[in-house]
Amino acid sequence: MFFKFRKKPDDSIRRKADEKTIALITEITAGVHASVKHAQLPSITLPLRSLANVVYDPGKGYFELGDSKKVRTLTVNTIRSFAQTLRLMATSKEMVESNDFATKREAYYVSKNWGDCRFDNQAESDAIMDDIEAMAAIHGLSREQLRFYPESHGGSVAGNLIVVDMDPETQDAIEINCANLGSGAYSIPRSVEHLGFRTGARFVLAVETGGMFQRLNSHQFWKKANCILVEMAGVPTRATRRFIRRLSDQNNLPVYCFVDCDPYGFANIYRTLKVGSGNAAHINRFLCVPNAHFLGVTPQDILDFGLDDATHPLTKTDVKRAQDALDNDPFFAAHPKWREAIRQLLEMGVRAEQQALAKWGLNYVIDEYLPRKLKDPNSFLP
Amino acid sequence: MFFKFRKKPDDSIRRKADEKTIALITEITAGVHASVKHAQLPSITLPLRSLANVVYDPGKGYFELGDSKKVRTLTVNTIRSFAQTLRLMATSKEMVESNDFATKREAYYVSKNWGDCRFDNQAESDAIMDDIEAMAAIHGLSREQLRFYPESHGGSVAGNLIVVDMDPETQDAIEINCANLGSGAYSIPRSVEHLGFRTGARFVLAVETGGMFQRLNSHQFWKKANCILVEMAGVPTRATRRFIRRLSDQNNLPVYCFVDCDPYGFANIYRTLKVGSGNAAHINRFLCVPNAHFLGVTPQDILDFGLDDATHPLTKTDVKRAQDALDNDPFFAAHPKWREAIRQLLEMGVRAEQQALAKWGLNYVIDEYLPRKLKDPNSFLP
């Protein structure tokens, strides 16, 4: 059995991040404090988050923030947002010290006892939080390490993986064997920074739909293929992306994506998982998964696996999204194979869902499709 | 430790349902076969699913189908839907026999090799599936027992509960200890008919938002309160509803609902969990949770817990939904306490989210709100 309980697991990653967070907040606020003491107007320097300051690095393969900065100096006009920035940083520091967290929504409500500098709505608190997050990102700290958690949990996980967590009270190690959850699965928590992994799996299979995940899990495909199944349920949440990234990094595991053959699957689900998005360039370094590859369903699969009569015509939105990917997206611009595949799809004029494989029988996907594809990972789209 | 592995767990519930499903399908198709043999036009009798045939039973507390029937006789016009009904029933029988399942989407694709009686779109297959489901419901069989599974999995679960599942290959018992999943949780599978439960918990706490679930789980509130936490994530899915229902039935557990104080929380989330909906009257008997009670947040809580400055004004949609509940909903009509609460909310003109309690500190909900409320379950709304 896998359920060995070891006292006091290795918590050094979290403790180091916590020290770094506190050091960063202390440093910034010490600067503010010094200015005030010397009767100077204090200021905080923050990265510029506008698209003008977003750079695509083909080498790294993802969008990141450039070097432009904005300086928030205390004035009559900025006094409220200045105070809010400091209070939100103080909240972060308190949460690190008490090993707690707040969702973005909770952080907004916490401000309700801040008197005049309370947030009027969550758009306000989110903007300030994004500023702090961007600043922390430059120092290698994620929003979760500041202890601000997203509202959405991650997807479900099943397969040859032991997740090492910690009992919050006793701090004993807790080991969750994802091969032993029956027809159910492990639900990824909102923050995964503290998790450890033990696995002998060969790869991670990231699956778009819940129905397909249930099929692969119920038939224990992960046992046959020696892999770890992760359900993305559409565009993966922050927690899912970070979970796959850390799992892949720490165990040097390739990540194979199994999604619908349509522009949304290519340009939204897969591309977001692999390189992140331009809108949130300051977080891509934590969330993107460079080890990701596109297993299928590819346009060529529609021909190779005889799915033509189980397709649907591309909608106008599909065509627009595909054209946009070809014309404006640096990720697809960097990959001729992807441009070829998208052009092929546009010529065929149809899309195919992963569940369309059921046309050949419910378990064709397990008995035929996946084994054939997995024989040649080099053929996966980049 | 809880991880005892027993060979061949009690699978009698599933086996009995399987036998019943096969007997039902065999009986109906034998009737069709006999008609054909005697050169008569075969017919299938199905319950009428229109709202005109929906009855609210205040005693049972939920909407159910009345006695009206429709007869689908084989004619030139019905030949396609007649054949589709039979093929879908045959698919169900095959899946029971091979212990497999299909999502609604997969069932649609499976038809692609049915030649002329293939479904043109999923709306078509869903309608036929609803017919078969309604017929099976009369005989006490759910859609999941016909082996048609929903696309969406259930919510997350944590707390004092051991879920007993079965290894699909070896059929050994698998026991999942929901008290031992760290900051993560157990993700409810799409069908829960085969699950067993062992618990010493006092109640189930069904939580609306993911953020609140994470807080209660991370601080192990379930240990302190001896309960089971279930994350609904908005209006609960079929799987979540059925899971809570079976858990509550089998262990005689009350279910306390902790949702936002707004008309959507009352009339959509809570009411759906407790009594189901009129649109899907044929499934309420499987999915509704008569043991459910509304812990909060109530309109009175906004006053009692000083949340007035952490509220938001009711929107037009909120007011319309509240008025609709007062005017047209037999559930609220049957409960004066609910009508009073809704009127109070309309008078106050505001709504409050469960996370608004963070105004008094992130863990006020754990240290103050829930303990105070739980002292007096008789005060919960019905």
Side-chain angles (χ1 to χ4, degrees):
Chain A
M1 286 314 308
F2 283 112
F3 297 87
K4 295 178 289 180
F5 283 70
R6 293 176 302 195
K7 291 269 166 193
K8 314 300 166 207
D10 179 22
D11 195 23
S12 56
I13 297 173
R14 174 155 69 170
R15 270 186 290 109
K16 261 184 210 159
D18 282 352
E19 281 163 23
K20 224 169 141 183
T21 306
I22 290 185
L24 177 67
I25 294 173
T26 309
E27 185 194 320
I28 293 164
T29 48
V32 171
H33 189 238
S35 298
V36 172
K37 263 180 72 178
H38 294 91
Q40 292 165 340
L41 285 177
S43 65
I44 301 174
T45 305
L46 300 160
L48 201 63
R49 289 187 292 108
S50 74
L51 273 178
N53 190 33
V54 170
V55 191
Y56 180 76
D57 183 333
K60 291 185 183 166
Y62 58 84
F63 299 93
E64 47 175 18
L65 276 191
D67 294 328
S68 306
K69 303 267 188 281
K70 63 181 171 189
V71 176
R72 183 168 289 159
T73 304
L74 183 63
T75 68
V76 173
N77 291 328
T78 63
I79 187 158
R80 208 159 149 266
S81 64
F82 197 90
Q84 287 168 336
T85 310
L86 290 175
R87 298 242 25 179
L88 211 51
M89 283 198 282
T91 304
S92 170
K93 184 162 171 280
E94 280 165 31
M95 292 191 297
V96 171
E97 285 164 350
S98 60
N99 195 16
D100 210 338
F101 65 90
T103 63
K104 289 171 89 170
R105 193 73 183 151
E106 284 177 329
Y108 156 69
Y109 280 117
V110 162
S111 84
K112 292 296 179 188
N113 60 26
W114 289 356
D116 285 343
C117 76
R118 69 174 54 180
F119 294 116
D120 286 334
N121 53 60
Q122 201 188 325
E124 240 183 33
S125 58
D126 283 356
I128 302 270
M129 196 181 292
D130 284 346
D131 280 342
I132 299 176
E133 182 183 14
M135 183 175 61
I138 288 178
H139 298 269
L141 289 165
S142 70
R143 190 169 79 204
E144 287 77 5
Q145 286 167 330
L146 295 171
R147 304 305 182 102
F148 295 117
Y149 286 10
E151 184 68 31
S152 305
H153 62 72
S156 301
V157 180
N160 289 330
L161 170 68
I162 290 171
V163 176
V164 184
D165 200 337
M166 194 189 297
D167 186 296
E169 217 168 79
T170 62
Q171 309 210 319
D172 290 346
I174 289 180
E175 307 202 334
I176 300 123
N177 186 348
C178 298
N180 205 13
L181 298 171
S183 51
Y186 171 71
S187 176
I188 302 171
R190 277 141 196 87
S191 175
V192 302
E193 301 302 329
H194 60 293
L195 300 181
F197 306 105
R198 288 215 314 275
T199 180
R202 290 192 304 127
F203 61 93
V204 175
L205 189 65
V207 181
E208 174 176 343
T209 65
M212 183 57 77
F213 175 84
Q214 185 74 62
R215 173 156 308 283
L216 298 180
N217 187 25
S218 289
H219 290 276
Q220 300 192 319
F221 176 75
W222 46 264
K223 195 183 267 184
K224 195 172 159 184
N226 189 15
C227 69
I228 300 162
L229 300 174
V230 180
E231 174 196 35
M232 296 192 286
V235 174
T237 64
R238 269 182 83 105
T240 304
R241 292 165 64 192
R242 183 67 177 152
F243 182 88
I244 295 178
R245 164 65 177 273
R246 293 195 67 235
L247 177 58
S248 163
D249 272 8
Q250 286 187 21
N251 302 279
N252 204 15
L253 284 180
V255 176
Y256 302 148
C257 295
F258 181 24
V259 308
D260 290 348
C261 179
D262 59 30
Y264 188 80
F266 304 162
N268 295 56
I269 297 176
Y270 176 70
R271 179 183 156 291
T272 300
L273 182 75
K274 176 142 185 167
V275 300
S277 69
N279 283 336
H282 56 295
I283 57 173
N284 290 338
R285 59 182 292 186
F286 302 109
L287 300 183
C288 69
V289 179
N291 284 340
H293 300 278
F294 191 89
L295 175 147
V297 179
T298 65
Q300 187 60 37
D301 286 346
I302 296 180
L303 306 175
D304 293 349
F305 293 89
L307 300 179
D308 34 308
D309 62 348
T311 57
H312 295 84
L314 289 176
T315 64
K316 267 190 196 169
T317 314
D318 286 330
V319 174
K320 198 179 161 299
R321 192 171 273 136
Q323 208 56 60
D324 199 45
L326 288 175
D327 296 343
N328 306 318
D329 194 311
F331 170 70
F332 293 108
H335 292 293
K337 275 194 180 171
W338 262 117
R339 290 207 306 285
E340 215 173 283
I342 295 173
R343 282 198 202 103
Q344 186 182 9
L345 192 76
L346 284 171
E347 266 165 43
M348 293 163 75
V350 293
R351 59 190 174 82
E353 296 173 355
Q354 53 183 186
Q355 298 193 55
L357 293 158
K359 177 202 150 180
W360 297 113
L362 289 170
N363 293 314
Y364 179 80
V365 61
I366 291 175
D367 300 332
E368 291 289 331
Y369 178 78
L370 286 173
R372 261 172 74 183
K373 295 290 293 191
L374 286 166
K375 270 189 196 145
D376 189 14
N378 289 329
S379 74
F380 296 168
L381 287 167
Chain B
M1 286 317 310
F2 283 112
F3 296 88
K4 294 179 289 181
F5 282 70
R6 293 176 303 193
K7 291 269 164 192
K8 315 299 166 207
D10 179 21
D11 195 22
S12 56
I13 297 173
R14 175 156 68 170
R15 271 187 289 110
K16 261 184 210 159
D18 283 352
E19 282 163 22
K20 226 170 140 182
T21 307
I22 289 185
L24 177 66
I25 293 173
T26 307
E27 185 195 320
I28 293 165
T29 48
V32 172
H33 189 239
S35 299
V36 172
K37 261 179 74 176
H38 293 90
Q40 292 166 339
L41 285 176
S43 64
I44 301 174
T45 305
L46 301 159
L48 200 63
R49 289 186 293 106
S50 74
L51 274 177
N53 191 32
V54 170
V55 191
Y56 180 76
D57 182 333
K60 292 186 183 165
Y62 57 85
F63 298 93
E64 46 175 19
L65 276 192
D67 294 328
S68 305
K69 302 269 189 281
K70 63 181 171 191
V71 176
R72 183 168 289 158
T73 304
L74 182 63
T75 68
V76 173
N77 291 329
T78 63
I79 187 158
R80 210 159 147 267
S81 65
F82 197 91
Q84 287 169 335
T85 309
L86 290 176
R87 297 241 28 178
L88 211 51
M89 283 198 283
T91 304
S92 170
K93 183 162 170 281
E94 279 165 31
M95 293 191 296
V96 170
E97 285 164 349
S98 61
N99 196 15
D100 209 338
F101 65 90
T103 63
K104 288 172 89 169
R105 193 72 182 151
E106 285 177 327
Y108 156 69
Y109 280 118
V110 162
S111 84
K112 291 296 180 188
N113 59 28
W114 289 356
D116 285 344
C117 76
R118 69 175 51 179
F119 294 115
D120 286 335
N121 52 61
Q122 202 188 324
E124 240 184 32
S125 58
D126 283 357
I128 302 272
M129 196 182 291
D130 284 347
D131 279 342
I132 299 176
E133 182 183 13
M135 184 175 60
I138 289 178
H139 297 270
L141 290 166
S142 69
R143 190 169 77 204
E144 287 78 4
Q145 287 168 330
L146 296 171
R147 303 306 181 102
F148 295 117
Y149 287 9
E151 184 66 32
S152 306
H153 63 74
S156 301
V157 180
N160 289 330
L161 170 68
I162 290 172
V163 176
V164 184
D165 200 337
M166 194 189 297
D167 185 295
E169 217 169 81
T170 63
Q171 310 210 317
D172 289 347
I174 289 180
E175 307 203 332
I176 300 123
N177 186 346
C178 298
N180 205 13
L181 298 171
S183 51
Y186 171 71
S187 177
I188 301 171
R190 277 142 198 88
S191 174
V192 302
E193 301 302 328
H194 60 295
L195 299 180
F197 306 106
R198 289 216 313 276
T199 180
R202 290 192 303 126
F203 60 92
V204 176
L205 189 66
V207 181
E208 173 175 344
T209 66
M212 183 57 80
F213 175 84
Q214 185 74 64
R215 173 157 307 285
L216 298 180
N217 188 23
S218 289
H219 289 277
Q220 299 191 318
F221 176 75
W222 47 264
K223 195 183 267 184
K224 194 171 160 183
N226 189 17
C227 70
I228 301 162
L229 301 174
V230 180
E231 174 197 36
M232 296 191 285
V235 175
T237 63
R238 269 182 85 105
T240 305
R241 292 165 66 193
R242 183 68 178 152
F243 182 88
I244 296 177
R245 163 67 177 273
R246 293 195 67 233
L247 177 59
S248 163
D249 272 9
Q250 286 187 20
N251 302 279
N252 204 14
L253 285 180
V255 176
Y256 302 147
C257 295
F258 181 26
V259 307
D260 289 349
C261 179
D262 58 29
Y264 188 79
F266 305 162
N268 295 56
I269 296 176
Y270 175 69
R271 178 182 157 293
T272 299
L273 183 75
K274 176 144 185 167
V275 300
S277 69
N279 282 336
H282 56 295
I283 56 174
N284 290 338
R285 59 181 291 187
F286 302 108
L287 300 182
C288 69
V289 179
N291 283 339
H293 301 278
F294 191 89
L295 175 147
V297 178
T298 65
Q300 188 60 36
D301 286 346
I302 296 179
L303 306 173
D304 293 349
F305 293 90
L307 299 179
D308 34 309
D309 61 350
T311 57
H312 295 85
L314 289 178
T315 64
K316 267 189 197 168
T317 314
D318 286 331
V319 174
K320 196 178 162 301
R321 192 171 274 137
Q323 208 57 58
D324 198 44
L326 288 175
D327 295 345
N328 306 318
D329 194 311
F331 170 71
F332 294 108
H335 292 292
K337 275 194 178 169
W338 262 118
R339 290 207 305 286
E340 215 173 282
I342 295 173
R343 281 197 202 101
Q344 185 182 10
L345 191 77
L346 283 170
E347 265 165 42
M348 293 163 75
V350 293
R351 59 190 173 83
E353 295 174 356
Q354 52 183 184
Q355 298 194 56
L357 292 157
K359 177 201 149 179
W360 297 112
L362 288 170
N363 292 314
Y364 179 80
V365 61
I366 291 174
D367 300 332
E368 290 290 329
Y369 178 78
L370 285 173
R372 261 172 72 184
K373 295 290 293 192
L374 285 167
K375 268 188 197 147
D376 189 14
N378 288 329
S379 73
F380 296 168
L381 287 167

